[in-house]
Amino acid sequence: VFNLLLFVVWFVCIIYMTIFSRVGKTEINLIPFRFIFEPFRTGNEEFFRTGWMNILLFVPGGMFLSYCVENPTKIKYVLQIVALIAISVDIEIIQWYYKLGVVEIDDVICNTLGTIIGVTSVAWTSKIVEYIEYLIQNIIKEIKLMKK
């Protein structure tokens, strides 16, 4: 329940930052990876900073959603990533429709990357924890055998 609450709080914050805090203005950028190349072309590092922010904004979403899923499998991880990509695309569509800022394919790319980082970090962390628990149990068994 707590993890679901964290996900909902994250979602509300994302919606506020990407939709409700915006003013009427519309630009559309469908050039992928502009956030990487534009700073070199123009010297404007804002594109690069924006890309990193979009990545970092979706890492917690991937993590919180992963913690909400019981008995995770590869297909469940993929579905979590797809769900958060859908949220990212929906945000861009809403921004475009209501003229609430710059609609960028880079936002979706960066949000997807952040989602993948969040989801996989939870998956890897849980595997590492399982392995450490396995090692500790075996060490305890060995110690008990040595005492006999």
Side-chain angles (χ1 to χ4, degrees), residues 78-134:
V78 170
L79 291 174
Q80 292 168 51
I81 292 168
V82 169
L84 288 170
I85 291 171
I87 289 172
S88 178
V89 170
D90 288 345
I91 289 169
E92 296 301 315
I93 290 170
I94 291 168
Q95 286 179 340
W96 168 78
Y97 185 80
Y98 291 103
K99 298 177 178 23
L100 297 173
V102 181
V103 177
E104 297 188 78
I105 191 68
D106 281 351
D107 289 355
V108 175
I109 291 169
C110 291
N111 294 345
T112 301
L113 182 56
T115 296
I116 291 169
I117 291 168
V119 169
T120 55
S121 67
V122 170
W124 291 344
T125 303
S126 65
K127 292 291 182 191
I128 291 169
V129 168
E130 285 176 18
Y131 183 69
I132 291 171
E133 288 174 348
Y134 169 79

Side-chain angles (χ1 to χ4, degrees), residues 33-100:
F33 305 107
R34 184 175 175 202
F35 76 100
I36 294 174
F37 300 113
E38 197 69 19
F40 296 109
R41 192 176 72 77
T42 65
N44 183 354
E45 294 180 4
E46 182 66 19
F47 289 97
F48 193 67
R49 186 189 69 79
T50 302
W52 277 107
M53 290 227 343
N54 278 311
I55 291 170
L56 293 175
L57 281 174
F58 269 69
V59 170
M63 293 175 74
F64 296 150
L65 189 57
S66 290
Y67 286 128
C68 292
V69 175
E70 292 184 24
N71 304 320
T73 61
K74 288 181 183 178
I75 190 70
K76 287 183 180 179
Y77 288 130
V78 170
L79 291 174
Q80 292 168 51
I81 292 168
V82 169
L84 288 170
I85 291 171
I87 289 172
S88 178
V89 170
D90 288 345
I91 289 169
E92 296 301 315
I93 290 170
I94 291 168
Q95 286 179 340
W96 168 78
Y97 185 80
Y98 291 103
K99 298 177 178 23
L100 297 173

